[in-house]
Amino acid sequence: MTLLTTAPIRRLSRADLPRCLDLAADRGLPGDDRVCARVWRLLLSAGEGFGVDDPDGDGLIGSFVLTRYGPGLACLSTVLVAERHARRGLGRRLVARALEEAGRTPVFLFADEGDRELYERSGFRTVGRATAYTGHFRPEPEPESDLDVEHGAAGSRATTRRATAADLPAVLALDTAVSSADRTHLITRIPAFADQLRVAEGPGGPTGFAAAWRTGGTTVIGPVVAQDDRSARQLIADLAVRTEGELRLDPDDRHHALGSWLTARGLAPRISTAVMIHGAADLPGDHHRRFAPMGVTLG
Protein backbone atom coordinates (compact mmCIF):
# COMPACT_ATOMS: atom_id res chain seq x y z
CA MET A 1 0.00 0.00 0.00
CA THR A 2 1.17 3.53 -0.76
CA LEU A 3 0.73 6.74 1.16
CA LEU A 4 -1.88 7.80 -1.42
CA THR A 5 -4.09 4.86 -0.45
CA THR A 6 -3.63 5.26 3.30
CA ALA A 7 -3.38 9.01 3.88
CA PRO A 8 -6.52 10.16 5.76
CA ILE A 9 -9.25 12.10 3.99
CA ARG A 10 -10.34 14.75 6.49
CA ARG A 11 -12.96 17.47 6.70
CA LEU A 12 -11.78 20.89 5.65
CA SER A 13 -12.63 24.15 7.37
CA ARG A 14 -12.29 27.76 6.35
CA ALA A 15 -8.88 27.69 8.04
CA ASP A 16 -7.79 25.47 5.14
CA LEU A 17 -8.56 28.19 2.60
CA PRO A 18 -4.87 28.97 1.80
CA ARG A 19 -4.21 25.27 1.19
CA CYS A 20 -7.23 25.03 -1.12
CA LEU A 21 -6.02 28.03 -3.12
CA ASP A 22 -2.54 26.56 -3.42
CA LEU A 23 -3.95 23.23 -4.64
CA ALA A 24 -6.17 24.99 -7.18
CA ALA A 25 -3.18 27.01 -8.42
CA ASP A 26 -1.15 23.79 -8.73
CA ARG A 27 -3.83 22.48 -11.09
CA GLY A 28 -3.73 25.65 -13.18
CA LEU A 29 -6.90 27.15 -11.73
CA PRO A 30 -7.00 30.77 -10.54
CA GLY A 31 -6.12 30.69 -6.88
CA ASP A 32 -4.07 33.66 -5.84
CA ASP A 33 -6.48 36.58 -5.59
CA ARG A 34 -9.09 37.57 -3.09
CA VAL A 35 -11.92 37.05 -5.59
CA CYS A 36 -11.10 33.36 -5.93
CA ALA A 37 -10.71 33.15 -2.17
CA ARG A 38 -14.29 34.44 -1.91
CA VAL A 39 -15.49 31.60 -4.16
CA TRP A 40 -13.70 29.02 -2.04
CA ARG A 41 -15.19 30.53 1.12
CA LEU A 42 -18.63 30.04 -0.39
CA LEU A 43 -17.82 26.44 -1.28
CA LEU A 44 -16.52 25.66 2.21
CA SER A 45 -19.48 27.33 3.93
CA ALA A 46 -22.35 26.16 1.70
CA GLY A 47 -20.78 22.73 1.16
CA GLU A 48 -18.69 20.13 2.94
CA GLY A 49 -15.03 20.21 1.97
CA PHE A 50 -12.70 17.22 2.28
CA GLY A 51 -8.98 17.02 1.69
CA VAL A 52 -5.84 14.90 1.89
CA ASP A 53 -2.78 16.39 3.52
CA ASP A 54 0.60 15.95 1.87
CA PRO A 55 2.50 13.34 3.93
CA ASP A 56 5.56 15.57 3.49
CA GLY A 57 3.73 18.49 5.08
CA ASP A 58 3.40 20.53 1.90
CA GLY A 59 -0.26 21.55 1.98
CA LEU A 60 -3.07 19.54 0.39
CA ILE A 61 -2.60 16.95 -2.32
CA GLY A 62 -6.30 16.29 -2.91
CA SER A 63 -9.73 17.78 -2.29
CA PHE A 64 -13.43 17.69 -3.08
CA VAL A 65 -16.53 19.58 -2.01
CA LEU A 66 -19.95 17.99 -1.56
CA THR A 67 -22.80 20.51 -1.49
CA ARG A 68 -26.07 19.03 -0.29
CA TYR A 69 -29.42 20.32 -1.55
CA GLY A 70 -31.80 18.75 0.90
CA PRO A 71 -32.11 14.96 1.18
CA GLY A 72 -32.68 14.42 -2.53
CA LEU A 73 -29.64 15.87 -4.28
CA ALA A 74 -25.98 16.80 -3.83
CA CYS A 75 -23.38 18.44 -6.06
CA LEU A 76 -19.80 17.15 -6.25
CA SER A 77 -17.13 19.65 -7.27
CA THR A 78 -13.46 20.67 -7.01
CA VAL A 79 -12.19 17.08 -7.20
CA LEU A 80 -8.54 18.10 -7.38
CA VAL A 81 -5.32 16.11 -7.14
CA ALA A 82 -1.91 17.78 -7.00
CA GLU A 83 -0.09 17.43 -10.29
CA ARG A 84 2.80 15.54 -8.70
CA HIS A 85 0.37 12.82 -7.53
CA ALA A 86 -1.90 12.72 -10.59
CA ARG A 87 -2.88 9.44 -12.28
CA ARG A 88 -2.02 7.34 -9.23
CA GLY A 89 -5.53 6.50 -7.97
CA LEU A 90 -6.13 9.35 -5.55
CA GLY A 91 -8.88 10.85 -7.70
CA ARG A 92 -10.85 7.58 -7.67
CA ARG A 93 -10.41 7.40 -3.92
CA LEU A 94 -11.73 10.95 -3.46
CA VAL A 95 -14.79 10.24 -5.62
CA ALA A 96 -15.48 7.02 -3.72
CA ARG A 97 -15.33 8.91 -0.43
CA ALA A 98 -17.70 11.57 -1.76
CA LEU A 99 -20.25 8.91 -2.70
CA GLU A 100 -19.81 7.31 0.71
CA GLU A 101 -20.52 10.65 2.38
CA ALA A 102 -23.60 11.16 0.18
CA GLY A 103 -25.06 7.76 1.07
CA ARG A 104 -28.27 7.20 -0.88
CA THR A 105 -28.51 10.83 -2.00
CA PRO A 106 -28.13 11.23 -5.78
CA VAL A 107 -24.97 13.14 -6.70
CA PHE A 108 -24.44 15.21 -9.82
CA LEU A 109 -21.47 17.08 -11.27
CA PHE A 110 -20.10 18.87 -14.32
CA ALA A 111 -17.19 16.96 -15.87
CA ASP A 112 -14.60 18.11 -18.38
CA GLU A 113 -13.99 15.67 -21.22
CA GLY A 114 -10.73 14.52 -19.67
CA ASP A 115 -12.42 13.58 -16.39
CA ARG A 116 -15.44 11.69 -17.72
CA GLU A 117 -13.77 8.29 -17.60
CA LEU A 118 -12.93 8.73 -13.91
CA TYR A 119 -16.57 9.41 -13.07
CA GLU A 120 -17.95 6.73 -15.37
CA ARG A 121 -15.78 4.15 -13.61
CA SER A 122 -17.32 5.37 -10.35
CA GLY A 123 -20.86 4.77 -11.62
CA PHE A 124 -21.80 8.22 -12.95
CA ARG A 125 -23.68 8.52 -16.23
CA THR A 126 -24.02 11.46 -18.59
CA VAL A 127 -27.52 12.98 -18.69
CA GLY A 128 -26.83 16.28 -20.44
CA ARG A 129 -24.27 18.82 -21.50
CA ALA A 130 -23.45 22.45 -20.81
CA THR A 131 -21.23 24.75 -22.84
CA ALA A 132 -19.14 27.60 -21.46
CA TYR A 133 -19.61 30.79 -23.49
CA THR A 134 -17.05 33.53 -22.87
CA GLY A 135 -16.29 36.93 -24.32
CA HIS A 136 -17.19 40.60 -24.20
CA PHE A 137 -20.92 41.23 -24.42
CA ARG A 138 -22.29 43.40 -27.24
CA PRO A 139 -25.72 44.86 -26.44
CA GLU A 140 -28.50 44.40 -28.93
CA PRO A 141 -29.02 47.42 -31.21
CA GLU A 142 -31.85 49.75 -30.35
CA PRO A 143 -34.87 49.69 -32.70
CA GLU A 144 -34.47 52.17 -35.53
CA SER A 145 -38.15 52.96 -36.06
CA ASP A 146 -41.63 52.66 -34.61
CA LEU A 147 -42.16 49.80 -37.08
CA ASP A 148 -39.41 47.82 -35.32
CA VAL A 149 -41.12 48.35 -31.99
CA GLU A 150 -44.46 47.31 -33.46
CA HIS A 151 -42.90 44.10 -34.77
CA GLY A 152 -41.40 43.29 -31.42
CA ALA A 153 -37.81 44.54 -31.53
CA ALA A 154 -38.35 46.45 -28.30
CA GLY A 155 -41.94 45.82 -27.31
CA SER A 156 -41.25 42.14 -26.63
CA ARG A 157 -38.56 42.84 -24.06
CA ALA A 158 -39.06 41.49 -20.58
CA THR A 159 -38.80 43.77 -17.58
CA THR A 160 -36.05 43.20 -15.04
CA ARG A 161 -34.92 45.14 -12.01
CA ARG A 162 -32.39 44.97 -9.23
CA ALA A 163 -33.47 42.51 -6.55
CA THR A 164 -34.19 43.71 -3.04
CA ALA A 165 -34.33 41.92 0.30
CA ALA A 166 -38.10 41.69 -0.12
CA ASP A 167 -37.61 39.52 -3.23
CA LEU A 168 -35.69 36.78 -1.44
CA PRO A 169 -38.74 34.61 -0.56
CA ALA A 170 -39.87 34.70 -4.20
CA VAL A 171 -36.36 33.91 -5.45
CA LEU A 172 -36.16 30.96 -3.05
CA ALA A 173 -39.57 29.69 -4.18
CA LEU A 174 -38.56 29.95 -7.85
CA ASP A 175 -35.28 28.13 -7.29
CA THR A 176 -36.95 25.34 -5.33
CA ALA A 177 -39.60 24.87 -8.01
CA VAL A 178 -37.04 24.80 -10.82
CA SER A 179 -34.36 22.69 -9.13
CA SER A 180 -36.74 20.39 -7.21
CA ALA A 181 -34.29 20.68 -4.31
CA ASP A 182 -33.82 22.73 -1.18
CA ARG A 183 -30.96 25.10 -1.96
CA THR A 184 -31.83 27.65 0.72
CA HIS A 185 -28.33 27.64 2.21
CA LEU A 186 -26.88 28.55 -1.21
CA ILE A 187 -29.51 30.97 -2.54
CA THR A 188 -29.62 33.01 0.68
CA ARG A 189 -25.87 33.60 0.31
CA ILE A 190 -26.16 35.02 -3.21
CA PRO A 191 -27.09 38.62 -2.25
CA ALA A 192 -23.90 38.98 -0.19
CA PHE A 193 -21.75 36.93 -2.57
CA ALA A 194 -22.78 38.24 -5.98
CA ASP A 195 -21.98 41.62 -7.48
CA GLN A 196 -25.48 41.82 -8.97
CA LEU A 197 -28.79 40.04 -8.50
CA ARG A 198 -31.74 40.87 -10.74
CA VAL A 199 -35.29 39.59 -11.01
CA ALA A 200 -37.63 39.42 -13.99
CA GLU A 201 -40.88 41.14 -13.09
CA GLY A 202 -44.30 39.72 -13.90
CA PRO A 203 -47.83 40.86 -13.01
CA GLY A 204 -47.82 38.72 -9.87
CA GLY A 205 -44.22 39.31 -8.84
CA PRO A 206 -40.82 37.89 -9.85
CA THR A 207 -40.91 35.20 -12.54
CA GLY A 208 -37.16 34.63 -12.74
CA PHE A 209 -33.80 35.75 -11.42
CA ALA A 210 -30.13 35.83 -12.34
CA ALA A 211 -26.88 36.76 -10.61
CA ALA A 212 -23.45 37.97 -11.72
CA TRP A 213 -20.28 37.33 -9.72
CA ARG A 214 -16.56 37.59 -10.34
CA THR A 215 -13.91 34.90 -10.29
CA GLY A 216 -10.39 34.90 -11.67
CA GLY A 217 -10.83 38.11 -13.68
CA THR A 218 -14.07 36.94 -15.31
CA THR A 219 -17.66 37.70 -14.40
CA VAL A 220 -19.84 34.59 -14.29
CA ILE A 221 -23.56 35.01 -14.91
CA GLY A 222 -25.49 32.34 -13.09
CA PRO A 223 -27.77 30.99 -11.91
CA VAL A 224 -30.26 32.01 -14.58
CA VAL A 225 -33.85 30.99 -13.88
CA ALA A 226 -36.57 32.34 -16.16
CA GLN A 227 -40.04 31.50 -17.42
CA ASP A 228 -38.93 31.58 -21.06
CA ASP A 229 -36.01 32.31 -23.38
CA ARG A 230 -37.01 35.96 -23.80
CA SER A 231 -36.87 36.61 -20.07
CA ALA A 232 -33.57 34.73 -19.74
CA ARG A 233 -32.00 36.86 -22.47
CA GLN A 234 -33.17 40.08 -20.84
CA LEU A 235 -31.86 39.08 -17.42
CA ILE A 236 -28.49 38.23 -18.94
CA ALA A 237 -28.36 41.42 -21.02
CA ASP A 238 -29.29 43.67 -18.09
CA LEU A 239 -26.56 42.09 -15.96
CA ALA A 240 -24.00 42.16 -18.77
CA VAL A 241 -24.35 45.86 -19.63
CA ARG A 242 -23.62 46.68 -16.00
CA THR A 243 -20.43 44.60 -16.04
CA GLU A 244 -16.96 45.40 -17.34
CA GLY A 245 -14.61 42.85 -18.85
CA GLU A 246 -15.11 39.27 -19.98
CA LEU A 247 -18.25 37.28 -19.19
CA ARG A 248 -18.87 33.56 -18.81
CA LEU A 249 -22.10 31.57 -18.84
CA ASP A 250 -22.56 27.78 -18.84
CA PRO A 251 -26.05 27.30 -20.29
CA ASP A 252 -27.71 23.95 -20.73
CA ASP A 253 -27.18 22.81 -24.33
CA ARG A 254 -30.90 22.14 -24.67
CA HIS A 255 -31.43 25.91 -24.84
CA HIS A 256 -30.27 26.16 -28.45
CA ALA A 257 -31.76 29.60 -29.05
CA LEU A 258 -29.96 31.05 -26.05
CA GLY A 259 -26.63 29.69 -27.28
CA SER A 260 -27.18 31.29 -30.71
CA TRP A 261 -28.11 34.59 -29.08
CA LEU A 262 -24.98 34.56 -26.89
CA THR A 263 -22.84 33.99 -29.97
CA ALA A 264 -24.54 36.90 -31.72
CA ARG A 265 -23.84 39.07 -28.70
CA GLY A 266 -20.09 38.37 -28.84
CA LEU A 267 -19.65 35.34 -26.57
CA ALA A 268 -18.03 32.28 -28.15
CA PRO A 269 -18.57 28.64 -27.14
CA ARG A 270 -15.36 27.41 -25.52
CA ILE A 271 -15.60 24.35 -23.27
CA SER A 272 -18.24 21.63 -23.26
CA THR A 273 -18.87 19.78 -20.02
CA ALA A 274 -20.89 16.67 -19.33
CA VAL A 275 -23.65 16.82 -16.74
CA MET A 276 -23.35 13.51 -14.91
CA ILE A 277 -25.35 11.90 -12.12
CA HIS A 278 -24.98 8.95 -9.76
CA GLY A 279 -27.91 7.33 -7.99
CA ALA A 280 -30.74 8.68 -10.18
CA ALA A 281 -31.97 8.43 -13.75
CA ASP A 282 -31.70 12.15 -14.43
CA LEU A 283 -31.10 15.51 -12.84
CA PRO A 284 -34.36 16.57 -11.18
CA GLY A 285 -36.12 19.84 -11.86
CA ASP A 286 -37.54 21.85 -14.72
CA HIS A 287 -34.84 22.27 -17.37
CA HIS A 288 -37.20 24.47 -19.42
CA ARG A 289 -36.78 27.22 -16.81
CA ARG A 290 -33.25 26.35 -15.69
CA PHE A 291 -31.12 28.16 -18.25
CA ALA A 292 -27.72 28.24 -16.55
CA PRO A 293 -26.21 26.99 -13.27
CA MET A 294 -24.59 29.24 -10.72
CA GLY A 295 -21.38 27.69 -11.97
CA VAL A 296 -19.88 24.29 -12.65
CA THR A 297 -18.84 24.06 -9.00
CA LEU A 298 -22.33 24.55 -7.56
CA GLY A 299 -24.91 23.59 -10.17
Side-chain angles (χ1 to χ4, degrees), residues 33-152:
D33 64 20
R34 61 187 179 87
V35 177
C36 291
R38 186 162 57 100
V39 175
W40 274 94
R41 288 191 191 97
L42 176 65
L43 288 168
L44 293 175
S45 57
E48 302 167 12
F50 292 81
V52 179
D53 293 306
D54 188 336
D56 295 327
D58 188 17
L60 294 174
I61 60 171
S63 73
F64 71 84
V65 175
L66 188 69
T67 306
R68 300 177 189 271
Y69 299 136
L73 191 64
C75 179
L76 176 59
S77 65
T78 58
V79 180
L80 301 176
V81 175
E83 180 61 35
R84 62 190 181 277
H85 294 295
R87 295 169 293 278
R88 296 169 61 186
L90 182 55
R92 291 195 300 273
R93 187 173 167 228
L94 290 168
V95 175
R97 175 60 180 273
L99 294 175
E100 179 183 329
E101 291 290 332
R104 296 186 177 182
T105 300
V107 178
F108 78 100
L109 53 82
F110 291 79
D112 293 335
E113 196 59 39
D115 296 328
R116 280 185 61 188
E117 183 179 355
L118 165 65
Y119 298 118
E120 287 173 345
R121 290 158 84 180
S122 299
F124 284 83
R125 54 189 295 270
T126 299
V127 293
R129 299 199 70 84
T131 298
Y133 287 77
T134 63
H136 294 267
F137 185 84
R138 295 195 302 264
E140 292 189 76
E142 293 295 326
E144 296 181 358
S145 68
D146 291 341
L147 185 62
D148 290 332
V149 174
E150 180 181 340
H151 288 169

Side-chain angles (χ1 to χ4, degrees), residues 114-275:
D115 296 328
R116 280 185 61 188
E117 183 179 355
L118 165 65
Y119 298 118
E120 287 173 345
R121 290 158 84 180
S122 299
F124 284 83
R125 54 189 295 270
T126 299
V127 293
R129 299 199 70 84
T131 298
Y133 287 77
T134 63
H136 294 267
F137 185 84
R138 295 195 302 264
E140 292 189 76
E142 293 295 326
E144 296 181 358
S145 68
D146 291 341
L147 185 62
D148 290 332
V149 174
E150 180 181 340
H151 288 169
S156 63
R157 292 180 178 177
T159 300
T160 84
R161 60 172 173 79
R162 182 177 178 179
T164 69
D167 294 313
L168 189 55
V171 168
L172 280 169
L174 283 166
D175 186 78
T176 300
V178 170
S179 66
S180 295
D182 181 3
R183 307 203 309 167
T184 301
H185 59 299
L186 174 64
I187 301 303
T188 53
R189 286 178 165 89
I190 290 180
F193 173 78
D195 300 291
Q196 300 182 64
L197 176 61
R198 297 188 72 83
V199 295
E201 191 71 274
T207 61
F209 68 93
W213 50 279
R214 290 192 64 78
T215 177
T218 299
T219 295
V220 177
I221 294 182
V224 180
V225 169
Q227 64 179 354
D228 52 35
D229 186 79
R230 177 177 64 96
S231 296
R233 293 197 307 265
Q234 196 63 53
L235 281 165
I236 293 166
D238 288 349
L239 289 170
V241 297
R242 292 167 173 82
T243 301
E244 294 184 356
E246 189 169 78
L247 297 179
R248 171 172 174 161
L249 287 93
D250 293 79
D252 188 314
D253 280 2
R254 287 173 289 193
H255 294 290
H256 306 291
L258 179 60
S260 298
W261 178 80
L262 289 171
T263 301
R265 302 275 62 78
L267 277 67
R270 303 292 187 189
I271 304 169
S272 179
T273 56
V275 183

